[in-house]
C-alpha cells in the first residue's frame, strides 16, 4: 500500500519547475528521489509518507534540510514493533578467552573454580542458615571470590551483610612481608555481636589472617570463621587453618581471579602461574 501511495504521489510531485528535491526513506530504505514545486500534490505526498512511518530528507541547491517531524515510537503500535538491540541478545555459548601471553600454565580453570565456589557456598549456608552473617571480603585479592561466593550461600542466613576492607602484607613483591597493613577506615564497632566470615584469596604465611581473626575477636564479634580460596601450606610460618578452603595451592607464584602481581592479572577468570621472565624477584 505504501508503494502505491508513493507512486501516485510521486507523479503529482513531478509537476512544476522547482529545484527542491526529496528523498523518501521507508524503514531505512531509500525508494525515490524527485523534484517538486511544493504544490498541493507534494504536500499530500508528504502527509501520506509521514503517516506510513517514514522519514523524508529534503535537499535543495543550498543543502538546507527541512524540519519534518518523525512519528513517535509507541509500545501500543503493533504494526511497528520495536527492534531488539544487539546487546539484549547475549551469546549463551561465548568463545573461550585465549590464555594471557604472560601466563605459563593454568592451574585452576574457570570451570573448576566456579564449581568449587558453589560448593563452598552451600557448606557456608548450612552453617549459617539461622544466623545474622557478616561477610567481610579482604581487598583487593578476594573481591572476585567474595562476590561469587555470596551468590551461592544457601540455605539463606537469617540476614546477610557484605562489606570489604583492605589488608595486605605483599605490596609489589612476590613474598609476604609478615607485616600486616590494615585499612585505617575500618569500623570495629560494625562487627560487634555479629557472626563474621572473613573471605580471603590465599593463605600464605598465615600472618595476615591470624591478625584479622584476632582483630575481629577484639572488636566483639559473636564468632569468626575464615573462607579461603587457596591454601599454600608450603609457605606457612605460623599455624593456621581456614574453616572453608577451596584448593590446596602448589608452591608457585600464582595470579588471576582477583589475585595480582604488582596490580596485574586480577581480571583473569582462571588461576595460573606467571612466566619467569615477567617476575621481578626481591
Amino acid at each position: 500500500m505504501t508503494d502505491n501511495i508513493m507512486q501516485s504521489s510521486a507523479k503529482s510531485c513531478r509537476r512544476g519547475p522547482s529545484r527542491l528535491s526529496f528523498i523518501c526513506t521507508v524503514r531505512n530504505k531509500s525508494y525515490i528521489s524527485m523534484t517538486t514545486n511544493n504544490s498541493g500534490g507534494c504536500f499530500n505526498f508528504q502527509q501520506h509518507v509521514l503517516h506510513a512511518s517514514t522519514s523524508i530528507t529534503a535537499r535543495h541547491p543550498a543543502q538546507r534540510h527541512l524540519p519534518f517531524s518523525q512519528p513517535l515510537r509507541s509500545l501500543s503500535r503493533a504494526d511497528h514493533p520495536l527492534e531488539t538491540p544487539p546487546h539484549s541478545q547475549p551469546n549463551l555459548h561465548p568463545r573461550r578467552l585465549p590464555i594471557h601471553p604472560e601466563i605459563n600454565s593454568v592451574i585452576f580453570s574457570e570451570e573448576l573454580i566456579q564449581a568449587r565456589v558453589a560448593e563452598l557456598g552451600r557448606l557456608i549456608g548450612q552453617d549459617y542458615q539461622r544466623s545474622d552473617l557478616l561477610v567481610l571480603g579482604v581487598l583487593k585479592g578476594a573481591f572476585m571470590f567474595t562476590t561469587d561466593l555470596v551468590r551461592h550461600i544457601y540455605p539463606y542466613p537469617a540476614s546477610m551483610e557484605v562489606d570489604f576492607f583492605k589488608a595486605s602484607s605483599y605490596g609489589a613483591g612476590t613474598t609476604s612481608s609478615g607485616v600486616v597493613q590494615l585499612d585505617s577506615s575500618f569500623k570495629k564497632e560494625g562487627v560487634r555481636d555479629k557472626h563474621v566470615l572473613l573471605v580471603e584469596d590465599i593463605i600464605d604465611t598465615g600472618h595476615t589472617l591470624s591478625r584479622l581473626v584476632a582483630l575481629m575477636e577484639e572488636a566483639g564479634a559473636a564468632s569468626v570463621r575464615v573462607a579461603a580460596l587457596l591454601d599454600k601450606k608450603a609457605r606457612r610460618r605460623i599455624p593456621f587453618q581456614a574453616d572453608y578452603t577451596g584448593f590446596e595451592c602448589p608452591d608457585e607464584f600464582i595470579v588471576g581471579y582477583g589475585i595480582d602481581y604488582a596490580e596485574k592479572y586480577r581480571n583473569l577468570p582462571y588461576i595460573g602461574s606467571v612466566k619467569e621472565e615477567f617476575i621481578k624477584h626481591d
Side-chain angles (χ1 to χ4, degrees), residues 45-95:
F45 169 75
Q46 172 189 340
Q47 293 286 80
H48 283 305
V49 171
L50 291 179
H51 182 69
S53 296
T54 65
S55 61
I56 298 180
T57 303
R59 298 175 184 174
H60 60 54
Q63 297 298 315
R64 181 172 57 87
H65 296 280
L66 298 180
F68 292 136
S69 301
Q70 296 290 336
L72 296 177
R73 301 178 66 185
S74 173
L75 292 175
S76 63
R77 295 186 57 176
D79 55 332
H80 297 289
L82 297 177
E83 295 183 1
T84 304
H87 61 264
S88 66
Q89 300 177 352
N91 185 359
L92 300 180
H93 303 283
R95 186 174 59 180

Side-chain angles (χ1 to χ4, degrees), residues 41-248:
C42 182
F43 177 78
N44 292 333
F45 169 75
Q46 172 189 340
Q47 293 286 80
H48 283 305
V49 171
L50 291 179
H51 182 69
S53 296
T54 65
S55 61
I56 298 180
T57 303
R59 298 175 184 174
H60 60 54
Q63 297 298 315
R64 181 172 57 87
H65 296 280
L66 298 180
F68 292 136
S69 301
Q70 296 290 336
L72 296 177
R73 301 178 66 185
S74 173
L75 292 175
S76 63
R77 295 186 57 176
D79 55 332
H80 297 289
L82 297 177
E83 295 183 1
T84 304
H87 61 264
S88 66
Q89 300 177 352
N91 185 359
L92 300 180
H93 303 283
R95 186 174 59 180
R96 182 186 295 272
L97 296 176
I99 303 301
H100 194 286
E102 297 178 10
I103 296 299
N104 182 50
S105 63
V106 174
I107 300 175
F108 301 108
S109 67
E110 179 180 3
E111 294 79 9
L112 184 61
I113 292 172
Q114 292 303 322
R116 182 55 178 158
V117 170
E119 188 175 19
L120 290 176
R122 298 299 189 271
L123 295 173
I124 294 169
Q126 292 175 5
D127 293 341
Y128 288 97
Q129 56 184 312
R130 295 180 180 87
S131 304
D132 296 322
L133 178 61
L134 173 60
V135 180
L136 291 178
V138 182
L139 295 173
K140 299 179 186 177
F143 82 94
M144 198 175 292
F145 177 39
T146 305
T147 54
D148 282 346
L149 181 64
V150 295
R151 292 185 296 172
H152 289 289
I153 294 180
Y154 184 85
Y156 301 123
S159 68
M160 181 169 64
E161 299 177 49
V162 182
D163 204 350
F164 295 87
F165 70 103
K166 291 183 179 181
S168 175
S169 61
Y170 279 88
T174 62
T175 58
S176 177
S177 63
V179 178
V180 179
Q181 299 176 352
L182 300 179
D183 187 0
S184 59
S185 63
F186 179 72
K187 304 299 182 182
K188 295 182 180 181
E189 57 272 17
V191 304
R192 183 175 299 278
D193 299 327
K194 294 183 179 179
H195 298 281
V196 176
L197 177 66
L198 291 171
V199 182
E200 179 65 290
D201 55 352
I202 184 170
I203 307 175
D204 196 320
T205 62
H207 287 291
T208 301
L209 279 173
S210 61
R211 178 70 184 94
L212 291 179
V213 170
L215 174 66
M216 300 303 156
E217 292 175 344
E218 293 170 3
S223 67
V224 183
R225 292 184 181 181
V226 174
L229 179 63
L230 303 175
D231 188 354
K232 191 181 291 186
K233 293 183 178 180
R235 295 294 185 94
R236 195 77 86 250
R237 295 293 179 268
I238 61 175
F240 190 88
Q241 181 65 43
D243 301 277
Y244 311 95
T245 303
F247 307 98
E248 186 171 338

Side-chain angles (χ1 to χ4, degrees), residues 243-268:
D243 301 277
Y244 311 95
T245 303
F247 307 98
E248 186 171 338
C249 183
D251 190 13
E252 299 182 45
F253 191 77
I254 50 88
V255 296
Y257 196 65
I259 304 171
D260 77 304
Y261 166 50
E263 297 302 327
K264 297 173 62 177
Y265 314 112
R266 291 190 193 276
N267 58 304
L268 302 182

